[in-house]
């Protein structure tokens, strides 16, 4: 039985043509669209159920009215006195520049942000710029932040004896694939500076792709490195350069990668997951949560998971003991080879039996937090 996506909509065959990238959006909020802000591209779907994702309520991702791709736009309120007009679309203008830079520095020296840019199989494909946003390929099931997964050790007893829990193998797969992304970006001197599960989308084969480049840098030595220097996720590797600015290099991303994997390995994406958890030492009963976790971060005190959940590797990444994503990737692959996990290429992990499509299915849920759930067949 193959992997299925139950969306409640009639099945549609894949489009046999490129989405219409030339349709000009209105400069003002089109009447009747339910999306936030004063300026929304008119090509956005008018249906509330076509909300796809948002990043920290700064960037919204909505299905295109043709249902074939994703419209990304920055939430802008023109009467907000704290926001300079030059900043209204700063992030939405920046992300296409990052794609353009990556394409020009790799295999497309003449690439420009008005065209389709496909720089890496683990990065969401960019489909072109709009007047107040840009277009991305549509992935299903889509954003990890809206997807629940089975808890570890919930593997059905009906599966073949001796077969390992596929969910941890899936997390090993995501570990390699996310490291593959970081290796590629860092070798082009591009740093995400705020990598997290919120920036991950899932393809129909349950591989992952990066969508969030909001704070990504392009080669530079000047602060601010990008239009937004805001950290939306907790930072566990906190090192500044002599000028007092965040260190520009791989280690912040590597620490963020460790936090992403810790969330996978501790059940942060299950239906029963708490809304707030941190990889620092467990909170004492009489401690103030904010102050305690801050002190733990500053002192480098983190939960050490067992080796099977990558604990030693994550700890080294949080503490800045890895110099590159490739170094972690090599350690990951060495560990997986030791425990005889099947791999293909640099970043593909295979289940012990069959294919990922044989093991999991994806269904829509009525849960207010999770829009969809990955379940065992």
């Amino acid at each position: 039985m193959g992997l299925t996506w139950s969306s409640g909509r009639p099945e549609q065959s894949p489009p046999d043509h490129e989405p219409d990238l030339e349709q000009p959006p209105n400069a003002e909020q089109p009447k009747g669209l339910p999306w936030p802000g004063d300026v929304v591209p008119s090509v956005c779907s008018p249906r509330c159920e076509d909300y796809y994702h948002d990043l920290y309520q700064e960037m919204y991702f909505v299905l295109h009215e043709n249902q074939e791709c994703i419209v990304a736009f920055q939430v802008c309120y023109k009467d907000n006195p704290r926001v300079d007009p030059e900043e209204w679309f700063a992030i939405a203008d920046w992300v296409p520049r990052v794609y353009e830079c990556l394409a020009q520095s790799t295999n497309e020296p003449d690439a420009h942000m008005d065209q389709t840019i496909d720089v890496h199989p683990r990065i969401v494909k960019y489909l072109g710029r709009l007047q107040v946003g840009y277009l991305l390929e549509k992935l299903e099931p889509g954003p990890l932040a809206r997807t629940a997964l089975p808890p570890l050790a919930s593997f059905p007893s009906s599966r073949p004896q001796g077969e390992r829990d596929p969910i941890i193998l899936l997390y090993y797969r995501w570990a390699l694939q996310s490291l593959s992304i970081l290796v590629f970006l860092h070798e082009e001197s591009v740093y995400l500076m705020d990598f997290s599960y919120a920036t991950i989308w899932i393809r129909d084969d349950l591989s992952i792709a990066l969508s969030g480049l909001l704070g990504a840098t392009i080669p530079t030595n000047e602060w601010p490195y990008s239009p937004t220097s805001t950290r939306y996720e907790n930072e566990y590797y906190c090192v500044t350069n002599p000028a007092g600015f965040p260190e520009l290099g791989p280690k912040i991303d590597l620490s963020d990668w460790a936090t992403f994997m810790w969330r996978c390995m501790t059940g942060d994406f299950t239906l029963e997951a708490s809304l707030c958890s941190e990889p620092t030492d467990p909170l004492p009963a009489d401690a103030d949560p904010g102050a305690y976790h801050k002190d733990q971060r500053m002192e480098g005190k983190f939960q050490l998971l067992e080796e099977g959940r990558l604990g030693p590797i994550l700890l080294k990444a949080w503490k800045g003991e890895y110099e590159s994503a490739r170094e972690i990737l090599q350690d990951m692959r060495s560990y997986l080879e030791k425990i005889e996990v099947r791999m293909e290429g640099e970043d593909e992990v295979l289940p012990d039996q069959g294919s990922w499509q044989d093991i999991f299915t994806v269904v829509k849920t009525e849960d207010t937090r999770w829009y969809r759930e990955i379940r065992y067949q």
Side-chain angles (χ1 to χ4, degrees):
M1 187 173 181
L3 188 69
T4 59
W5 164 240
S6 303
S7 64
R9 300 192 193 114
E11 291 190 7
Q12 297 178 341
S13 58
D16 56 4
H17 57 85
E18 289 287 326
D20 179 9
L21 306 185
E22 301 302 323
Q23 183 176 354
N26 295 335
E28 301 297 327
Q29 166 79 60
K31 187 176 181 180
L33 288 186
W35 314 116
D38 296 329
V39 183
V40 176
S42 63
V43 294
C44 288
S45 168
R47 307 189 313 168
C48 291
E49 60 266 35
D50 286 338
Y51 164 80
Y52 191 74
H53 188 36
D54 72 82
L55 280 175
Y56 321 113
Q57 299 185 335
E58 291 262 11
M59 289 291 297
Y60 261 67
F61 302 89
V62 175
L63 278 177
H64 192 286
E65 61 185 1
N66 66 14
Q67 304 289 299
E68 295 178 1
C69 61
I70 301 299
V71 182
F73 63 93
Q74 186 171 348
V75 177
C76 163
Y77 292 101
K78 292 184 175 181
D79 59 355
N80 184 348
R82 294 176 297 176
V83 179
D84 189 281
E86 292 184 358
E87 300 175 1
W88 284 348
F89 310 114
I91 300 173
D93 290 341
W94 178 256
V95 173
R97 285 190 61 194
V98 177
Y99 273 99
E100 182 182 70
C101 174
L102 286 169
Q104 291 176 350
S105 65
T106 52
N107 58 358
E108 296 183 58
D110 298 323
H112 57 83
M113 63 183 73
D114 293 325
Q115 68 183 46
T116 296
I117 297 177
D118 188 7
V119 293
H120 192 277
R122 307 298 179 205
I123 296 178
V124 174
K125 185 188 300 183
Y126 171 87
L127 299 180
R129 185 173 55 170
L130 298 171
Q131 183 178 335
V132 289
Y134 53 93
L135 299 175
L136 297 172
E137 67 172 319
K138 180 178 72 171
L139 304 189
E140 290 185 346
L144 172 59
R146 304 185 71 206
T147 306
L149 288 106
L152 292 171
S154 64
F155 190 37
S157 58
S158 58
R159 298 294 299 182
Q161 187 173 8
E163 185 178 347
R164 282 174 286 203
D165 189 342
I167 197 67
I168 200 165
L169 294 178
L170 182 65
Y171 290 152
Y172 291 157
R173 186 188 190 207
W174 289 359
L176 294 187
Q177 291 174 352
S178 50
L179 286 169
S180 175
I181 295 167
L182 295 180
V183 167
F184 168 74
L185 293 175
H186 294 174
E187 289 180 350
E188 302 303 325
S189 298
V190 172
Y191 304 102
L192 296 174
M193 306 301 283
D194 200 29
F195 171 62
S196 78
Y197 71 94
T199 64
I200 294 294
W201 293 359
I202 307 173
R203 297 188 184 277
D204 57 5
D205 66 351
L206 300 188
S207 63
I208 59 172
L210 176 75
S211 69
L213 297 168
L214 274 63
T217 70
I218 56 177
T220 180
N221 291 316
E222 297 183 4
W223 174 264
Y225 306 127
S226 66
T228 175
S229 57
T230 303
R231 280 282 306 191
Y232 297 99
E233 302 292 334
N234 285 331
E235 189 171 27
Y236 298 104
Y237 177 79
C238 309
V239 175
T240 57
N241 63 21
F245 303 131
E247 180 184 83
L248 183 60
K251 293 189 178 183
I252 290 177
D253 286 355
L254 302 184
S255 173
D256 288 345
W257 171 86
T259 304
F260 166 52
M261 292 315 306
W262 178 86
R263 295 196 183 285
C264 290
M265 296 297 181
T266 56
D268 258 22
F269 307 121
T270 62
L271 290 173
E272 298 78 21
S274 64
L275 289 173
C276 182
S277 58
E278 293 205 47
T280 46
D281 287 341
L283 181 70
D286 58 348
D288 172 74
Y292 177 79
H293 288 306
K294 181 179 179 180
D295 290 344
Q296 293 283 293
R297 290 197 299 270
M298 297 303 293
E299 295 172 15
K301 295 181 178 179
F302 302 101
Q303 295 178 28
L304 177 59
L305 303 179
E306 64 272 20
E307 186 179 30
R309 290 193 291 167
L310 309 181
I313 292 176
L314 305 187
L315 190 62
K316 286 182 65 176
W318 279 319
K319 292 187 173 184
E321 295 176 8
Y322 284 110
E323 298 300 324
S324 70
R326 189 168 294 282
E327 189 179 345
I328 305 181
L329 184 62
Q330 291 169 348
D331 276 4
M332 275 290 314
R333 289 184 57 84
S334 295
Y335 172 67
L336 297 183
E337 288 171 359
K338 183 179 75 171
I339 62 174
E340 299 182 342
V341 169
R342 297 195 301 153
M343 292 180 282
E344 280 187 354
E346 184 178 66
D347 67 357
E348 185 59 82
V349 168
L350 305 176
D352 287 337
Q353 303 287 335
S355 67
W356 297 110
Q357 290 88 340
D358 296 329
I359 298 170
F360 295 108
T361 187
V362 184
V363 296
K364 185 176 178 180
T365 74
E366 300 301 324
D367 189 90
T368 56
R369 179 181 176 189
W370 307 106
Y371 179 71
R372 62 189 70 80
E373 181 183 2
I374 296 174
R375 296 176 180 171
Y376 288 111
Q377 295 275 20

